[in-house]
Amino acid sequence: MLVAAVMLFSGLGSLALMQPDEGRNSEVAREMAASGSWLVPTLEGLPYLDKPAAYFAAVSVSLRLFGVNEWGARLPSALCGALILVLVYAFTRRQYDATTAALSVIVVATSPMVFAFSRIVIMDIMLGLCTVAAILAAFVAEDTDPPRRRWHAAAAAAAGLGMLVKGPVGVLVPAAVLGLFFWVDGRKSALRRVFSPWNGLIVLGLFAPWFTALVRAHPEFAHYGLVEETFNRFFTPAFNRGQPFWYFGPVFFVTLFPWIVLFVPMAFASWPARGRLTRADRLFVVWAIVVIVFFSLSRTKQPGYILTGVIAAAVCVGRGLGYAWRNREGKAARLVARGAMVFAGLAAVSAAALGVLVAGGSASAERLAAMATRQRAIWSMWPTLLLVLLLIAAFGGLAFARRRADFAVAAFAIFPLALVTVSLPVLEVYAMSRSAKPLAFGLAALPDDAEIACLDCYSPGLSFYLRRTTTIISEDATFLRSNFVLYWMRRLGVHPPGIVTPAGRDQWLASRETAAFIVATDDGRANLTTWMDSRSPLTAVAPGWWGALVPRPGAH
């Protein structure tokens, strides 16, 4: 569908890779493409085993096919998002009807977490694809009499692939959702088939060969992967990402916006009629609840953990819109009309507030000239934003007045569509401010054989843009933000050549066979100045970055 294509692919390669995740993940994939090391991913030449290799391998293949650029790096994520929409459409069309299926796809595609993760280099969207495939395939397997074991096998295979993307969570989430769903549904025999030994063998048959081969190459990974990365991540705050239990409440609200305006009243309205919910309806309700509760219990919390819960909730909204679309006089149509009016009111108030600010001179030429780049880019878009808000208010008002679900869908979809189209110039400025690309531009004129070194800092993505690895001058690898590299160095007591300690930096400088360019942030500028003394002057290479070119030893 056109809406889905725009949300996932419009301007996919126009934004710079953002730090830290996009820059780091893209560089891991670039190194994999260059080295052919498909089993052991590396970051700056160091083993990067924080996550399995499947996602990096997919990005690596894309980079080989389409070049080392932003579009090639992001394409696998966009394709995963597109496949999620295909699965949603096929399943909801089978369970409901074509209209509900199309509406569900629109809601899912325009939900912020889905389209955002489909447009950046992050593995959560591939894990989401595997999770969605596993849950829907298991449901389909039990949707006929007799059950179809090949669909159970497909579900197990999807869960196994999920483990190759992000470890045990790839099988734990589908197992939790399906286990509770079939238990609530009173189908114990289905539980036995879902959790049959044969399905377990399929999961292990996909995951075990990779895990075994990796442990043979890095024996320390067995403890790290099972204890540090899995057990400690869930049960302890060891990864310094602890959040309160209610953390995912606000996250869910934001990542389902603007459809949350419909989801909340739909949820309250459906409770008295819960006895009339279909089996597929119950699946999506249980799915959304289980995912949010499951990860709320974890001591480590990240927004992307509840991606598939947001997808399930979005399908519930699509289901309600389907009722409203077919019957303009029904309860669902009245609910959707009121929700559209609420959203139209919010848009109208926002438009009025924006008009007052503009009339007061907030976007005057003098004010714009004095603003920082990011702020100026936002304010320069005020005419477009005003138009978008007025369109939302108009369509929402019409939806309420005429009780038209199509106008309501338009009102809710306009805002996310604008974000990935007319708002791209603002997003480009924002992405550039969070990217290593400006620094890479500043270093582009260096000789190809010059060694790049970061002094007490690291810029994820710099190596991707320069297409060569960088050296880290620091006491350890903390700046890489790789839990495995730190664990590997401490457990084995190794100090790889790519990490130069402060005590050994002078020896490293004297032992090189090429020129070196050493960069530091504003915070490290004084340290770099002291180290260089009079041997090399410092130059500003990018906003917030300084550097010094040190000639090859013996060169004049």
Side-chain angles (χ1 to χ4, degrees):
M1 296 176 67
L2 180 60
V3 171
V6 171
M7 293 306 303
L8 270 55
F9 294 97
S10 174
L12 188 63
S14 62
L15 305 184
L17 298 174
M18 290 182 284
Q19 301 175 347
D21 291 335
E22 278 205 292
R24 178 181 60 245
N25 293 340
S26 298
E27 172 56 15
V28 172
R30 186 198 69 81
E31 292 182 30
M32 181 179 285
S35 67
S37 177
W38 304 101
L39 177 64
V40 182
T42 61
L43 176 63
E44 305 302 345
L46 307 175
Y48 184 77
L49 304 181
D50 296 58
K51 296 294 183 288
Y55 179 76
F56 300 124
V59 178
S60 177
V61 170
S62 181
L63 294 178
R64 283 190 170 187
L65 291 175
F66 304 108
V68 180
N69 53 60
E70 292 94 342
W71 193 86
R74 293 188 176 120
L75 181 60
S77 291
L79 292 176
C80 287
L83 287 174
I84 288 174
L85 298 182
V86 169
L87 292 177
V88 167
Y89 181 83
F91 182 85
T92 52
R93 178 163 182 164
R94 173 192 176 94
Q95 297 296 323
Y96 306 132
D97 55 74
T99 299
T100 300
L103 291 169
S104 297
V105 166
I106 290 174
V107 178
V108 173
T110 55
S111 295
M113 183 174 286
V114 177
F115 72 76
F117 280 20
S118 298
R119 298 173 63 89
I120 61 176
V121 190
I122 196 165
M123 60 194 63
D124 297 74
I125 193 69
M126 183 176 282
L127 174 64
L129 170 61
C130 296
T131 302
V132 169
I135 293 172
L136 296 185
F139 181 96
V140 171
E142 292 293 327
D143 200 34
T144 59
D145 190 17
R148 288 175 284 187
R149 296 191 180 278
R150 68 178 182 275
W151 282 101
H152 276 305
L161 292 174
M163 291 188 70
L164 290 175
V165 174
K166 213 171 180 181
V169 71
V171 72
L172 290 176
V173 171
V177 171
L178 293 169
L180 184 61
F181 167 68
F182 285 121
W183 179 76
V184 169
D185 222 37
R187 290 190 284 169
K188 294 182 180 179
S189 59
L191 286 173
R192 288 193 294 270
R193 286 185 290 270
V194 169
F195 297 106
S196 73
W198 290 111
N199 292 337
L201 287 174
I202 292 173
V203 173
L204 288 176
L206 288 168
F207 181 75
W210 167 81
F211 185 81
T212 303
L214 191 57
V215 168
R216 290 185 64 183
H218 284 272
E220 68 278 5
F221 178 74
H223 180 270
Y224 175 83
L226 297 176
V227 178
E228 300 290 335
E229 186 64 29
T230 302
F231 183 87
N232 287 347
R233 179 178 287 273
F234 192 90
F235 291 104
T236 75
F239 286 80
N240 297 319
R241 292 173 180 171
Q243 299 290 347
F245 178 81
W246 48 263
Y247 171 77
F248 286 116
V251 170
F252 180 77
F253 184 95
V254 172
T255 54
L256 193 57
F257 186 85
W259 304 104
I260 191 72
V261 177
L262 293 180
F263 176 81
V264 173
M266 283 180 178
F268 280 105
S270 64
W271 178 252
R274 60 190 180 278
R276 297 196 298 272
L277 295 177
T278 68
R279 187 170 285 173
D281 294 335
R282 293 194 295 272
L283 170 69
F284 289 113
V285 171
V286 169
W287 186 346
I289 293 172
V290 167
V291 168
I292 293 173
V293 172
F294 179 85
F295 287 110
S296 293
L297 296 173
S298 172
R299 295 295 298 274
T300 300
K301 297 180 178 70
Q302 290 279 72
Y305 290 0
I306 63 166
L307 170 63
T308 63
V310 171
I311 292 172
V315 173
C316 292
V317 175
R319 174 71 156 148
L321 286 170
Y323 280 121
W325 194 286
R326 291 189 301 274
N327 181 9
R328 291 173 58 180
E329 303 302 323
K331 182 178 180 180
R334 293 193 298 272
L335 187 151
V336 169
R338 288 195 296 268
M341 191 61 201
V342 169
F343 193 47
L346 293 173
V349 170
S350 300
L354 178 61
V356 170
L357 290 172
V358 172
S362 295
S364 65
E366 295 79 8
R367 290 276 186 90
L368 290 175
M371 291 178 184
T373 303
R374 189 188 302 182
Q375 186 181 9
R376 182 167 59 250
I378 294 173
W379 275 103
S380 65
M381 292 285 293
W382 74 263
T384 302
L385 177 59
L386 182 61
L387 176 60
V388 168
L389 292 171
L390 291 176
L391 285 173
I392 292 172
F395 276 104
L398 287 171
F400 178 75
R402 301 185 181 183
R403 204 171 291 177
R404 291 277 297 272
D406 52 349
F407 286 159
V409 172
F412 283 100
I414 285 171
F415 184 71
L417 281 167
L419 278 178
V420 300
T421 54
V422 295
S423 297
L424 274 179
V426 175
L427 297 178
E428 288 171 2
V429 172
Y430 174 76
M432 192 67 81
S433 70
R434 290 192 54 193
S435 176
K437 197 169 188 176
L439 178 58
F441 284 158
L443 303 179
L446 291 175
D448 291 340
D449 64 345
E451 185 171 357
I452 310 296
C454 297
L455 177 62
D456 289 329
C457 62
Y458 180 63
S459 182
L462 176 61
S463 297
F464 178 87
Y465 284 114
L466 295 178
R467 304 189 184 187
R468 48 179 152 167
T469 57
T470 59
T471 298
I472 309 298
I473 303 174
S474 177
E475 196 62 51
D476 56 26
T478 299
F479 290 103
L480 287 178
R481 298 179 68 173
S482 166
N483 295 311
F484 176 79
V485 171
L486 288 172
Y487 172 86
W488 175 63
M489 292 175 62
R490 291 167 182 168
R491 185 176 179 86
L492 299 185
V494 299
H495 208 98
I499 305 293
V500 177
T501 63
R505 65 188 188 184
D506 287 327
Q507 181 181 354
W508 165 80
L509 206 58
S511 64
R512 290 172 303 99
E513 297 181 355
T514 64
F517 195 88
I518 304 166
V519 297
T521 62
D522 282 337
D523 292 339
R525 179 184 177 185
N527 188 10
L528 179 58
T529 302
T530 301
W531 181 26
M532 291 295 99
D533 195 12
S534 59
R535 96 180 78 185
S536 296
L538 266 63
T539 57
V541 291
W545 289 90
W546 298 83
L549 179 63
V550 181
R552 175 176 57 84
H556 299 287

